[in-house]
Amino acid sequence: MKQDALPPRAEARPVTHETHGLSRQDDYGWLRAGNWQEVMRDPSVLDADIRAYLEAENAYQEQQLEPTRELQEKLFAEMRGRIKEDDSSVPSPDGPYAYGLKYETGGQQPVFFRTPRDGGEEETLLHGDSEADGKAYFKIGGASQSTDHKLLAWAYDDKGSEYYTLQLRDLATGKDLADRIEDTGGGGVFSADSRYVFYIRLDANHRPSRLFRHEVGTDPAADVLVYEEKDAGFFMGVGKTQSGATILIDIHDHETSEVWMIPANDPTADPVLIAPRETGIEYSVEDHGDLLYILTNAGDAEDFKIVTVPKDNPGRGNWSDLVAHKPGCLILSHCLYKTFMTRLEREEGLPRIVIHDLAGGGEHSIAFDEEAYSLGLGDGYEFDTDTIRFSYSSMTTPSQTFDYNVETRERVLRKEQEVPSGHTAADYVTRRLMAPAADGETVPVSVLYHKDTKLDGSAPLLLYGYGSYGITIPASFNTNSLSLVARGFVYAIAHIRGGKDKGFRWYKDGRREKKKNTFTDFIAAADHLVAEKFTSHDRIVAHGGSAGGMLMGAIANMAPEKFGGIIAEVPFVDVLATMLDDTLPLTPPEWPEWGNPVADKAAYEYIASYSPYDNVEAREYPAILAVAGLTDPRVTYWEPAKWVARLRATKTGDSLLMLKTNMEAGHGGASGRFDRLKEVALNQAFALMVTGKA
């Protein structure tokens, strides 16, 4: 790193805010563009002062990491070498065809294709690289075939702002119709007769608040508003049951659900409410004939249960238990087929698939051997089938795709992830540790390292964490981590509270007034890894993104001496200001997760006590790399920008502090599969540099 280069400093323009009789000063609030809605659609309208600061930070970051340029290129080449460039999914049957997705050698974007069901010539439906040609950013938001297989509804975002343009493609000609619909949430759902498409439109504040019905071949200006959600605190989505019989309008925040249904064969019918929203009650819906099958936590079923109810009388008073609640066994999802139901559940931190026979009620599960693994269950397109598809991997085992016959219980390997540059699983060791937390809980930690790595406290270690929204980080195969592991790193995932790794209570104990458990769990994981001689504190590089980036900001303030470096990608670090600003896209829907500081003084004080930006102090911090996306609608670019500005003005010592803002991307970073690897290579080069391994 170049210590002689002077870092940029943002001008302090103090503004004092008063809330609940409490005041806070914000020196860098000016970095929030007043026209942020316009910037997401057109980055060129960003205020010149803000742009100048972001570009100065980018120049400084590039200067500091210039000595690692060759290393970044080498890391990129290694990671690209582990990707099968001409990879393809296993096509999924749907009526007369089988639909799949593939990549071409050198291609950044996916290609959607189909073949005749029983084999034959491949037909390209959507060529992502051709559509992306000439665009700095391009991401496909989904592609789905119509019921009659004549149309493809597909959506794209070319700004990174997640405002998707929805188009309909005539599959006979390969041409898009004139039906071009702007500002959607991405993707569409066809009616049974393929005459109509249902889609969600985003409002000016990027909220999915209105469901429209579009008649194929007509002017979208005439589209019918089917449902509008008035409460800004709720998200909206649209989907279809596995049977294809029912279109579902799903309205939810992070703890409450409400679902409306429309018969797919009567698409102009008014939506019918299944059960009105009740705070804290969640439910999701599948159907089978005249019955609805509902996954819910109603009736104190903290880890969820499955109930049935007549479709024509679906209120909660008529719900009847089918799969009872089992404390500690979290039901993650369910799907209905003609003769059976599947469910994916997790117990003791490990997932399993259960098959439930609808006629007799008998059940069996699909068994696995490894101690720690990741499992995914695909629903496919068909309802009348005896075969399901699932994926399996572990931190040492590349992903495998299986077809499983529920009648014969035969498991057929359909695809195994190829690592073109080679991978020998026996060269690596994976472990599952339990780190003791101060309150008596134990935090699962998944660990991967090379068999030749000495566990004497000298190894550098990358510790990843997330811990929000109930999202579980699986112990799955990750080819990118192998570049660090091959260089002597230990790679670890802390399964901290705020996720659902140990059931729903694990989530409840890491949100709102218990949010600090997420941060102390991560620090406990770091302490345990040091105690067990996997590493030393100055050798740990912490890594997290989005809400996991908030985690990075919090642990930087709480225990900076326990980390040698921190990588914070699109970090949610200005928590208090964001939760006070109800004009931002996600603020009202986020209040159930963090608390509402607008209405609740106690919530204000609690968030203020950990919000990373508000707790920066004059103390030494570890080396920090923060990454932002200019058009990010989830974690706005000014959060990491303000955080870095305050850190630079406040912290003591000479530790490296850098901000990289992707001026042509949003929350997910670069859109192409190889361009994203360049960002991973930069992160890894930083980790290697700050631990002396570069």
Side-chain angles (χ1 to χ4, degrees), residues 330-441:
L330 178 64
I331 304 177
L332 300 166
S333 64
H334 72 311
C335 189
L336 268 293
Y337 298 87
K338 186 175 181 180
T339 62
F340 63 95
M341 176 178 70
T342 61
R343 68 178 187 269
L344 182 63
E345 58 188 31
R346 184 185 298 114
E347 189 170 20
E348 296 298 326
L350 292 177
R352 63 170 170 257
I353 296 168
V354 180
I355 312 299
H356 177 101
D357 178 65
L358 294 178
E363 294 188 344
H364 72 275
S365 60
I366 305 175
F368 303 92
D369 298 326
E370 292 186 85
E371 290 184 13
Y373 54 83
S374 172
L375 196 59
L377 184 58
D379 296 336
Y381 296 118
E382 299 193 312
F383 178 68
D384 187 1
T385 181
D386 57 8
T387 301
I388 62 170
R389 182 167 293 166
F390 68 86
S391 61
Y392 171 87
S393 76
S394 74
M395 295 181 81
T396 60
T397 306
S399 178
Q400 299 171 323
T401 301
F402 291 92
D403 278 352
Y404 180 81
N405 187 296
V406 300
E407 298 295 333
T408 65
R409 305 192 184 184
E410 180 185 12
R411 184 187 308 180
V412 178
L413 178 64
R414 295 296 306 275
K415 180 186 176 184
E416 189 163 12
Q417 180 182 355
E418 294 182 43
V419 183
S421 59
H423 174 71
T424 303
D427 289 343
Y428 302 91
V429 180
T430 185
R431 300 255 317 263
R432 184 86 153 183
L433 310 178
M434 300 302 288
D439 62 357
E441 287 285 3

Side-chain angles (χ1 to χ4, degrees), residues 212-502:
F212 284 87
R213 183 180 69 243
H214 172 72
E215 185 173 1
V216 175
T218 66
D219 184 349
D223 288 356
V224 176
L225 177 63
V226 177
Y227 184 92
E228 181 171 10
E229 175 53 47
K230 302 292 188 180
D231 190 332
F234 281 80
F235 301 97
M236 186 194 300
V238 62
K240 190 185 289 189
T241 56
Q242 181 70 14
S243 70
T246 307
I247 293 166
L248 300 173
I249 308 169
D250 175 41
I251 300 160
H252 63 278
D253 61 14
H254 293 297
E255 64 176 7
T256 303
S257 303
E258 182 175 277
V259 181
W260 297 68
M261 56 183 174
I262 301 171
N265 62 3
D266 188 11
T268 61
D270 291 334
V272 173
L273 176 63
I274 293 175
R277 66 191 74 173
E278 295 181 47
T279 300
I281 302 299
E282 297 182 72
Y283 68 96
S284 58
V285 180
E286 277 288 334
D287 66 0
H288 188 284
D290 296 330
L291 288 179
L292 298 178
Y293 287 69
I294 298 176
L295 174 63
T296 183
N297 65 346
D300 296 321
E302 182 177 71
D303 288 311
F304 288 75
K305 63 183 179 179
I306 298 174
V307 303
T308 60
V309 67
K311 187 181 284 189
D312 61 2
N313 196 8
R316 268 192 63 190
N318 299 315
W319 291 7
S320 176
D321 287 6
L322 176 69
V323 178
H325 174 240
K326 180 182 177 183
C329 180
L330 178 64
I331 304 177
L332 300 166
S333 64
H334 72 311
C335 189
L336 268 293
Y337 298 87
K338 186 175 181 180
T339 62
F340 63 95
M341 176 178 70
T342 61
R343 68 178 187 269
L344 182 63
E345 58 188 31
R346 184 185 298 114
E347 189 170 20
E348 296 298 326
L350 292 177
R352 63 170 170 257
I353 296 168
V354 180
I355 312 299
H356 177 101
D357 178 65
L358 294 178
E363 294 188 344
H364 72 275
S365 60
I366 305 175
F368 303 92
D369 298 326
E370 292 186 85
E371 290 184 13
Y373 54 83
S374 172
L375 196 59
L377 184 58
D379 296 336
Y381 296 118
E382 299 193 312
F383 178 68
D384 187 1
T385 181
D386 57 8
T387 301
I388 62 170
R389 182 167 293 166
F390 68 86
S391 61
Y392 171 87
S393 76
S394 74
M395 295 181 81
T396 60
T397 306
S399 178
Q400 299 171 323
T401 301
F402 291 92
D403 278 352
Y404 180 81
N405 187 296
V406 300
E407 298 295 333
T408 65
R409 305 192 184 184
E410 180 185 12
R411 184 187 308 180
V412 178
L413 178 64
R414 295 296 306 275
K415 180 186 176 184
E416 189 163 12
Q417 180 182 355
E418 294 182 43
V419 183
S421 59
H423 174 71
T424 303
D427 289 343
Y428 302 91
V429 180
T430 185
R431 300 255 317 263
R432 184 86 153 183
L433 310 178
M434 300 302 288
D439 62 357
E441 287 285 3
T442 54
V443 181
V445 183
S446 298
V447 178
L448 174 71
Y449 56 93
H450 194 276
K451 65 180 182 180
D452 296 334
T453 298
K454 293 182 179 179
L455 302 182
D456 58 3
S458 65
L461 182 146
L462 188 135
L463 181 59
Y464 181 84
Y466 188 76
S468 290
Y469 307 118
I471 294 173
T472 298
I473 305 301
S476 57
F477 189 68
N478 178 359
T479 59
N480 295 340
S481 67
L482 298 178
S483 287
L484 288 178
V485 172
R487 288 170 170 80
F489 260 75
V490 176
Y491 177 75
I493 302 169
H495 302 281
I496 51 186
R497 275 174 279 190
K500 293 177 183 171
D501 306 72
K502 295 177 72 173

